[in-house]
């Protein structure tokens, strides 16, 4: 019988017997035990790269027969092998042999895929391997002998052999002939699709000059080319991960890649947006040639009033972007527009002139909801596990699709038929996991939420809290006097006196022992206020 199993390191302990002996004691003439050891220690699976080796040691005692067997194409090595050795062909012994009777073997794996190393021992007596976590592998009696037949399965990773497909605009491009130049207009892109089948890579990175893009195995990476010139292209294909043998191969594109002036107009592409530091960024479809003192050709309006421009510069990390700074502050609630007049003399690096535009809107900087979307909107139906009752909660919580202010889910609170843990006291609910944010000193925050009270609900108020990091700030908001059977939104504001970390929120429904009813909550939201004074 053959037992096939992937197994980790196990230590075998043989007892040392010391006793007083008399003339009637017959000393045993043999002792049988079984055990093994590998150089991969306690790994649950054996992984190795092609061209690397693993050592296997048979620690058995009293065996009658003993053999190691390896698959064809792999080799036994003879040491000593030094730690810094990286090429092992010179250590190969008895090339072509697949069986060894040595106690310890070093196996050089030269074939990819699942490879087996078989240990076959026979004993006069029954033996059993005792491994970690209570693992026991018994021997099997065959004829008059006990057989331990163990196969170690090793996953051998091949050396990566990159295969790629190069395309532009969906058309495949030949790329191996150094005499065939690939021409690309500035602002256009090249696509690299990974077709690698050998080596199981984990990351593919594609570069042309200093333009980079990456993708996952089997995916497509897109490199946008902006700088004029003649470039080489390359694809770096790598493999890495826990307990996975690493590898790295570079595939050089044979044909040179020439970026030529674009035939397209030089225009704004994407969204004009404000950054956190109030810089206004204008993205174009090409890189700018250096210029100076061109502020007078741009106009920025704030709430329909022209604003004073402090500076106009090319972005230091992306030369397709212009940065505008104003002399006066702007706010999230402002309406800001940008215009570019003709005649500026500004050019792209491929000598195009930017197309003028008027009153293009600026997307103002907004952090959005600071709370985790799963905690605040319930759309993961509780998978993230962030919404939990407090230890004293007297309320039944359910992720519900019966009502939703947005999306599909809301949180349903049911007060009917629940045992009162603290008679006469209120009901709680809190986010115990996740949903934590940090607040900055001097900043004002708006905390809003929505509720839907079903007619017949007798709880009299909601009492939301911002809590955590030493903060405990509660506010009375409603239900009493608010409409029923419809969504109602409430909001509160808080200005942080100091930096506060790990802030979450807690909601309380107030009532007493007789409180009954159903209330739904949805769309908890915390954002940083940035209103013009």
């Amino acid at each position: 019988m053959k037992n096939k199993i992937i197994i980790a390191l196990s230590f075998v302990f043989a007892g040392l017997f010391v006793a007083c002996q008399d003339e009637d004691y017959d000393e045993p003439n043999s002792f049988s035990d079984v055990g093994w050891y590998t150089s991969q220690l306690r790994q649950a699976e054996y992984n190795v790269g092609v061209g690397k080796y693993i050592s296997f040691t048979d620690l058995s005692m009293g065996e009658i027969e003993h053999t190691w067997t390896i698959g064809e194409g792999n080799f036994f090595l003879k040491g000593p092998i030094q730690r810094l050795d990286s090429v092992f062909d010179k250590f190969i012994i008895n090339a072509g042999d697949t069986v060894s009777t040595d106690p310890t073997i070093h196996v050089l794996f030269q074939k990819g895929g699942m490879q087996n190393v078989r240990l076959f021992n026979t004993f006069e007596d029954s033996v059993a391997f005792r491994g970690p976590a209570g693992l026991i592998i018994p021997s099997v009696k065959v004829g008059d002998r006990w057989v331990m037949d163990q196969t170690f399965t090793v996953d051998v990773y091949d050396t990566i052999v990159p295969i790629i497909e190069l395309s532009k605009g969906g058309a495949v491009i030949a790329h191996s002939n150094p005499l065939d130049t690939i021409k690309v207009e500035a602002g256009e892109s090249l696509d690299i699709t990974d077709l690698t089948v050998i080596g199981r890579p984990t990351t593919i990175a594609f570069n042309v000059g200093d333009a980079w893009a990456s993708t996952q195995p089997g995916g497509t990476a897109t490199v946008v080319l902006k700088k004029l010139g003649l470039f080489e292209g390359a694809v770096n294909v790598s493999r890495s991960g826990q307990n996975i043998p690493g590898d790295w191969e570079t595939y050089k594109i044979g044909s040179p890649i020439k970026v030529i002036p674009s035939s397209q107009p030089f225009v704004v592409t994407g969204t004009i947006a404000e950054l956190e530091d109030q810089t206004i960024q204008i993205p174009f479809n090409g890189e700018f040639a250096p210029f100076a003192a061109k502020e007078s050709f741009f106009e920025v309006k704030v709430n329909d009033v022209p604003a004073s421009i402090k500076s106009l510069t090319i972005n230091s990390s992306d030369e397709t972007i212009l940065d505008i700074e104003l002399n006066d502050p702007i706010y999230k609630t402002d309406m800001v527009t940008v215009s570019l007049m003709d005649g500026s003399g500004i050019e792209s690096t491929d000598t195009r002139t930017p197309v003028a535009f008027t009153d293009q809107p600026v997307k103002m900087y907004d952090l959005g909801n600071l709370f985790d979307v799963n905690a605040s909107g319930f759309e993961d139906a509780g998978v993230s596990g962030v919404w939990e009752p407090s230890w004293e909660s007297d309320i039944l919580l359910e992720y519900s699709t019966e009502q939703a202010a947005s999306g599909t889910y809301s949180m349903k609170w049911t007060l009917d038929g629940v045992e009162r843990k603290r008679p006469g006291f209120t009901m709680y609910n809190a986010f115990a996991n996740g949903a934590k944010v940090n607040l900055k000193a001097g900043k004002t925050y708006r905390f809003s939420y929505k509720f839907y009270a079903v007619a017949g609900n007798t709880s009299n108020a909601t009492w939301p809290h911002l809590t955590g990091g030493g903060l405990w700030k509660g506010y009375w908001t409603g239900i009493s006097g608010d409409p029923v059977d419809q969504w109602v939104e409430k909001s509160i504001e808080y200005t942080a006196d100091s930096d506060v970390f790990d802030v979450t929120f807690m909601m309380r429904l107030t009532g007493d022992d007789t409180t009954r009813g159903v209330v739904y909550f949805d769309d908890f939201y915390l954002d940083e206020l940035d209103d013009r004074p």
Side-chain angles (χ1 to χ4, degrees):
M1 172 182 177
K2 178 183 289 187
N3 297 314
K4 285 196 175 183
I5 189 167
I6 299 176
I7 198 144
L9 169 66
S10 175
F11 291 98
V12 177
F13 297 92
L16 298 177
F17 300 97
V18 179
C20 296
Q21 300 182 9
D22 58 30
E23 294 180 356
D24 296 327
Y25 175 72
D26 293 326
E27 182 178 355
N29 57 16
S30 66
F31 175 76
S32 298
D33 203 356
V34 65
W36 49 74
Y37 169 88
T38 84
S39 58
Q40 293 218 341
L41 303 177
R42 294 188 179 274
Q43 292 187 26
E45 297 180 351
Y46 294 157
N47 299 314
V48 70
V50 161
K52 304 298 181 181
Y53 75 93
I54 298 178
S55 299
F56 299 83
T57 297
D58 180 15
L59 300 175
S60 301
M61 299 178 64
E63 69 274 12
I64 299 171
E65 293 180 72
H66 157 76
T67 58
W68 292 100
T69 305
I70 62 176
E72 292 184 359
N74 302 315
F75 300 95
F76 294 110
L77 304 180
K78 182 176 179 61
I81 302 172
Q82 303 300 319
R83 182 174 61 87
L84 296 179
D85 287 329
S86 59
V87 179
F88 306 104
D89 290 355
K90 62 183 178 181
F91 300 106
I92 292 175
I93 55 173
N94 304 323
D97 283 359
T98 59
V99 178
S100 172
T101 57
D102 292 340
T104 296
I105 59 172
H106 313 289
V107 182
L108 176 65
F109 293 94
Q110 297 286 54
K111 293 179 64 177
M114 295 297 182
Q115 302 294 319
N116 291 330
V117 175
R118 181 189 181 194
L119 171 62
F120 181 87
N121 284 344
T122 64
F123 301 87
E124 183 177 343
D125 301 311
S126 173
V127 295
F129 174 84
R130 292 171 174 82
L135 174 67
I136 298 178
I137 303 175
S139 58
V140 177
K141 191 169 186 180
V142 179
D144 61 351
R145 293 184 180 180
W146 292 87
V147 174
M148 179 62 73
D149 191 351
Q150 174 66 31
T151 296
F152 303 86
T153 301
V154 181
D155 192 356
V156 183
Y157 285 71
D158 273 307
T159 299
I160 293 173
V161 180
I163 301 176
I164 63 103
E165 180 181 85
L166 188 66
S167 60
K168 184 179 74 168
V172 176
I173 303 172
H175 57 269
S176 59
N177 190 342
L179 299 179
D180 293 337
T181 299
I182 299 171
K183 293 183 179 180
V184 182
E185 291 188 6
E188 289 186 333
S189 60
L190 288 176
D191 297 324
I192 173 74
T193 299
D194 173 51
L195 302 177
T196 302
V197 294
I198 299 175
R200 291 180 273 179
T202 56
T203 304
I204 291 87
F206 175 39
N207 75 287
V208 178
D210 59 0
W212 285 84
S214 61
T215 185
Q216 297 301 308
T220 298
T222 300
V223 170
V224 179
L225 303 176
K226 301 172 182 177
K227 289 186 175 181
L228 299 181
L230 191 65
F231 304 99
E232 292 183 347
V235 183
N236 297 319
V237 185
S238 61
R239 180 180 65 225
S240 62
Q242 186 175 7
N243 298 327
I244 294 177
D247 194 18
W248 175 285
E249 296 294 333
T250 297
Y251 177 93
K252 291 187 177 181
I253 294 174
S255 302
I257 299 169
K258 186 175 184 179
V259 182
I260 61 177
S262 175
S263 61
Q264 302 299 313
F266 190 29
V267 295
V268 172
T269 179
T271 301
I272 302 176
E274 178 205 16
L275 303 182
E276 184 177 10
D277 65 359
Q278 300 191 6
T279 299
I280 296 172
Q281 291 198 326
I282 311 173
F284 281 77
N285 64 342
E287 293 188 335
F288 285 90
F291 63 81
K294 300 296 183 180
E295 287 82 359
S296 62
F297 291 92
F298 285 81
E299 180 181 61
V300 178
K301 292 180 182 178
V302 180
N303 300 321
D304 292 326
V305 178
S308 174
I309 297 177
K310 179 180 179 180
S311 65
L312 169 71
T313 57
I314 300 172
N315 184 270
S316 59
S317 59
D318 187 341
E319 295 173 353
T320 67
I321 294 175
L322 296 182
D323 291 341
I324 293 179
E325 294 185 33
L326 302 178
N327 284 305
D328 297 320
I330 50 179
Y331 300 87
K332 184 169 63 176
T333 54
D334 288 337
M335 182 181 69
V336 180
T337 61
V338 179
S339 300
L340 167 62
M341 278 72 80
D342 281 324
S344 66
I346 296 174
E347 289 186 342
S348 67
T349 54
D350 58 346
T351 68
R352 291 178 293 161
T353 301
V355 176
F357 57 86
T358 302
D359 293 339
Q360 290 288 318
V362 177
K363 182 181 180 181
M364 304 305 288
Y365 178 75
D366 186 357
L367 288 172
N369 192 356
L370 301 181
F371 284 135
D372 175 79
V373 64
N374 293 324
S376 57
F378 312 113
E379 292 307 306
D380 72 340
V383 173
S384 58
V386 291
W387 180 268
E388 295 180 359
S390 67
W391 64 272
E392 56 192 357
S393 178
D394 290 326
I395 208 156
L396 176 63
L397 303 177
E398 299 175 89
Y399 287 81
S400 173
T401 59
E402 297 168 354
Q403 298 290 341
S406 65
T408 303
Y409 287 89
S410 66
M411 179 59 69
K412 180 181 180 181
W413 295 30
T414 302
L415 292 77
D416 299 335
V418 293
E419 180 184 353
R420 296 290 182 253
K421 297 178 183 177
R422 301 180 63 182
F425 203 62
T426 53
M427 287 66 66
Y428 287 85
N429 184 277
F431 286 118
N433 301 312
K436 295 180 179 180
V437 300
N438 300 328
L439 307 183
K440 298 178 182 179
K443 295 287 187 180
T444 299
Y445 299 87
R446 180 187 290 115
F447 175 35
S448 63
Y449 64 98
K450 298 173 184 176
F451 68 85
Y452 184 110
V454 177
N457 166 68
T458 59
S459 58
N460 54 35
T462 59
W463 192 11
H465 288 66
L466 291 173
T467 182
L471 176 66
W472 178 258
K473 195 73 174 178
Y475 302 83
W476 296 102
T477 50
I479 292 177
S480 181
D482 288 312
V484 297
D485 292 338
Q486 67 181 63
W487 285 101
V488 178
E489 183 172 9
K490 297 289 183 177
S491 65
I492 54 182
E493 294 183 6
Y494 168 70
T495 301
D497 297 326
S498 60
D499 291 344
V500 189
F501 302 95
D502 293 333
V503 173
T504 184
F505 58 99
M506 174 184 291
M507 177 62 75
R508 174 187 295 177
L509 270 176
T510 60
D512 56 30
D513 292 356
T514 65
T515 301
R516 294 292 183 269
V518 173
V519 181
Y520 300 89
F521 287 93
D522 204 356
D523 291 351
F524 288 88
Y525 202 96
L526 181 71
D527 63 334
E528 182 182 310
L529 293 184
D530 186 34
D531 298 340
R532 179 172 287 276

